[in-house]
Amino acid sequence: MSAPPRALLLWCPDWPVLAAEIVDGVPATDPVVVLHANRVVACSERARAEGIRRGLRRREAQGRCPGLTVVDHDPGRDARAFEPVVAAVEEVVAGIEVIRPGACATAARGPSRYLGGEEAAAERIVEHVAQSCAVESQVGIADGVFAAGLAAREGRIVPPGGTAEFLAGRPVEALGRPALADLLRRLGIRTLGDFAALSAGDVLARFGSDGALAHRLAAGRDDRPLAVRRPPADLTVTAEHDEPIDRVDAAAFVARTLAERLHERLAAYGLACTRLGIEAVTAHGQELHRVWRHDGLLTAAAIADRVRWQLDGWLSGSNGRGGARPTRPTAGIVRLRLVPDGVLAQAGLQPGLWGETGAERERAHRALSRVQGILGPEAVVTAVLGGGRSPADQVRLVPWGDERAPARPGPPALPVVPPAVRSGAVVPVASAGSGGVARRDGHRIGRGRVVVEPPWPGRIPPPSPAVVLPTPLSAEVHDVAGEPVVVSARLAVSAAPARLTVGAGRPAEISGWAGPWPVDERWWAPAEARRRARFQVCLVDGTALLLAVEGGQWLVEAIYD
């Protein structure tokens, strides 16, 4: 049987610890352990010097090293931190397969031929990773990926044909299968060579398919060829200019040309982008950067418009009224770069509910985007509804074009309901002794069906108010005898609210009310703790308000329509 092809594997020791340092800033030079299911899965060199090993429980590890830094295992963090290392390896060799975060492999034949041998290729890759990512690594080369992984832990190059001998003396724990290794030891099989000497048929009958796979690895035969990944395409377009661009008309011409190049490059890969990064460098070395977002797919004309608007905003910038506009660069632009972000397969734009998106919407989007190019992305914002206990918590303002994701999970989106059928209007209760307001059980009616919103703990019942005041108005609430209405710590209302006075205005009679709804938020953080009770009230003139009492002070938070 032919030997598996030569494999080159790069291994970064203690990668979960290094990833915690790269992403979270945990010093890897300190005694650090990474825990999963309350057991150590990785540890730093200083932690090993204190006697800590993989598999120890947390309490035992902290007992051996009281000053131990504990980090939770996060596979996503490990993968994100390892991506620059893989990209650095791909700058030297092609055809990389990521085995796991901290280890990647490639066929050794190509690098050894054009880098001057296997040893030279290993040294070149290790040096490049160290210079590009400041990460220490080791390379192992052997017949097959499994043997190359074991060789990488020693920084060793196994000669061709010597893999079986290299593996023969390794303990069965090297297979990475604790249950199988424990069973093999109890059967008297302690090394990979002893395991490989068994009959393949007997191994399959006794240990199953996974045991048969482990048997192939112990004999130096891999189970599959390398599954190399395709490096991401370089979609960035750049334009260099000998003469600095300091006029808007010249910038518009450059924007059109560069946008067409970017669109053609994206189209060649069948892609489109929803976010566009615009980077510029001036003759004095000043770097400018802005990201544009779009709720659809950016066409060539849309890309050109955004680049032109952004260059117009940069080149015509000034301190502006109130300092809203950025300062004009001190020199013209000599380098312009477009970086497509949010790349996805070209699948067209989803039309609106009642047909196409329409020219009116596109014109509005272009106008608002141009304002952003002049005044900045925070100058135009839209509201996004989400979850929360109060109306102010349920609204989040996001810049125009950004992802409209709620800050908190909320109810599912409901169809727009005409005012004539919108439920939940606050009306006075006919019975004078009920002390409440009439609602429709917190339901909303839409398109012939009733949709029930899932409750947010402590939120006010539907309907939602039409106007949320940015700053609550102070108010006073009195009973029929003219005494202030007080809410105790146990939510006992001293008397039924009868009159409401907002600020310095005239008192208004209250015809109906509901509440209180208590809120005790962030009690674990004294500086952010908040305790209040809210009421819905309806005045005799038909006005409905949302009131809150906090620290004995009544406030008007919102107004119902």
Side-chain angles (χ1 to χ4, degrees):
M1 183 178 295
S2 60
R6 302 280 286 174
L8 182 152
L9 187 140
L10 179 133
W11 173 65
C12 300
D14 307 326
W15 181 253
V17 177
L18 291 178
E21 180 181 42
I22 295 172
V23 177
D24 299 331
V26 179
T29 54
D30 295 345
V32 180
V33 295
V34 179
L35 294 183
H36 178 64
N38 207 37
R39 289 188 179 273
V40 176
V41 295
C43 56
S44 64
E45 184 176 356
R46 282 194 59 186
R48 281 192 296 271
E50 298 290 340
I52 297 176
R53 296 293 183 268
R54 294 179 57 185
L56 287 181
R57 293 186 177 274
R58 175 174 183 160
R59 186 179 298 274
E60 185 177 355
Q62 290 178 329
R64 296 186 181 185
C65 180
L68 194 64
T69 301
V70 177
V71 179
D72 291 332
H73 181 50
D74 186 354
R77 176 188 61 207
D78 298 347
R80 291 192 303 271
F82 192 57
E83 181 61 28
V85 177
V86 179
V89 177
E90 286 178 334
E91 294 176 358
V92 181
V93 298
I96 298 295
E97 176 186 352
V98 178
I99 307 299
R100 63 182 180 278
C104 59
T106 184
R109 180 182 179 184
S112 64
R113 294 182 66 179
Y114 61 77
L115 292 178
E118 293 180 344
E119 184 176 355
E123 292 178 354
R124 173 71 178 277
I125 293 173
V126 170
E127 181 181 1
H128 185 71
V129 170
Q131 293 178 351
S132 302
C133 307
V135 171
E136 295 183 359
S137 60
Q138 298 178 187
V139 167
I141 301 178
D143 299 336
V145 177
F146 173 69
L150 296 180
R153 296 180 178 272
E154 303 175 4
R156 180 174 175 181
I157 299 177
V158 180
T163 299
E165 181 181 357
F166 168 74
L167 295 174
R170 305 282 164 174
V172 291
E173 286 77 10
L175 292 170
R177 294 166 169 81
L180 177 61
D182 180 68
L183 179 57
L184 292 176
R185 282 197 170 275
R186 285 189 280 117
L187 294 176
I189 302 173
R190 292 178 170 80
T191 64
L192 297 182
D194 297 337
F195 188 37
L198 299 178
S199 169
D202 294 341
V203 170
L204 178 62
R206 177 62 179 82
F207 302 106
S209 58
D210 186 67
L213 173 60
H215 182 259
R216 287 180 55 85
L217 297 179
R221 303 191 301 271
D222 279 356
D223 60 323
R224 61 174 178 81
L226 283 170
V228 298
R229 75 171 196 169
R230 295 179 60 183
D234 184 11
L235 303 175
T236 303
V237 295
T238 306
E240 304 277 353
H241 303 280
D242 296 333
E243 294 292 332
I245 301 175
D246 54 4
R247 301 196 323 272
V248 176
D249 56 346
F253 177 78
V254 173
R256 174 65 62 179
T257 304
L258 207 58
E260 291 177 354
R261 287 176 50 194
L262 175 61
H263 192 263
E264 291 175 359
R265 181 167 298 185
L266 291 173
Y269 290 96
L271 301 174
C273 70
T274 58
R275 292 192 302 273
L276 176 67
I278 304 175
E279 301 175 357
V281 179
T282 67
H284 291 171
Q286 182 181 1
E287 297 182 359
L288 308 173
H289 179 73
R290 179 64 57 81
V291 176
W292 287 80
R293 291 175 173 83
H294 184 57
D295 57 355
L297 302 180
L298 288 170
T299 62
I303 294 174
D305 287 341
R306 280 149 184 81
V307 178
R308 176 169 53 86
W309 296 335
Q310 189 57 66
L311 293 176
D312 186 6
W314 281 335
L315 296 177
S316 62
S318 63
N319 290 332
R321 185 174 60 184
R325 298 179 64 182
T327 305
R328 178 186 174 94
T330 57
I333 296 174
V334 296
R335 183 186 306 127
L336 185 63
R337 187 166 179 253
L338 301 186
V339 182
D341 193 6
V343 177
L344 70 162
Q346 173 68 272
L349 179 61
Q350 178 70 27
L353 182 62
W354 294 278
E356 299 299 328
T357 56
E360 294 80 6
R361 176 183 173 183
E362 181 61 25
R363 284 199 298 269
H365 184 84
R366 289 161 62 91
L368 296 176
S369 299
R370 184 167 187 179
V371 172
Q372 285 184 314
I374 299 175
L375 301 181
E378 304 295 335
V380 182
V381 295
T382 57
V384 179
L385 294 179
R389 297 180 177 85
S390 68
D393 296 336
Q394 297 171 16
V395 178
R396 171 174 173 257
L397 297 179
V398 299
W400 175 262
D402 282 14
E403 183 180 2
R404 295 173 52 83
R408 305 176 181 85
L414 296 175
V416 177
V417 183
V421 299
R422 189 179 301 159
S423 69
V426 180
V427 296
V429 176
S431 173
S434 63
V437 293
R439 320 186 262 109
R440 296 190 182 178
D441 300 329
H443 295 173
R444 291 189 181 183
I445 303 174
R447 301 183 65 85
R449 61 188 180 94
V450 177
V451 182
V452 181
E453 295 184 359
W456 182 277
R459 68 174 291 180
I460 60 173
S464 299
V467 178
V468 180
L469 301 177
T471 302
L473 303 177
S474 61
E476 295 180 358
V477 179
H478 297 86
D479 58 15
V480 292
E483 296 294 330
V485 177
V486 178
V487 181
S488 69
R490 294 181 177 272
L491 300 177
V493 184
S494 61
R499 283 187 296 274
L500 171 67
T501 304
V502 180
R506 299 180 60 182
E509 297 294 328
I510 296 176
S511 59
W513 62 278
W517 292 285
V519 174
D520 191 359
E521 297 178 303
R522 304 189 66 82
W523 48 265
W524 60 89
E528 304 174 7
R530 190 175 187 185
R531 180 181 174 88
R532 54 185 167 150
R534 290 163 300 176
F535 293 77
Q536 288 175 330
V537 300
C538 186
L539 307 181
V540 291
D541 61 359
T543 303
L545 305 173
L546 177 65
L547 305 182
V549 56
E550 182 176 356
Q553 175 65 49
W554 286 88
L555 302 170
V556 179
E557 287 191 335
I559 304 172
Y560 293 90
D561 59 4

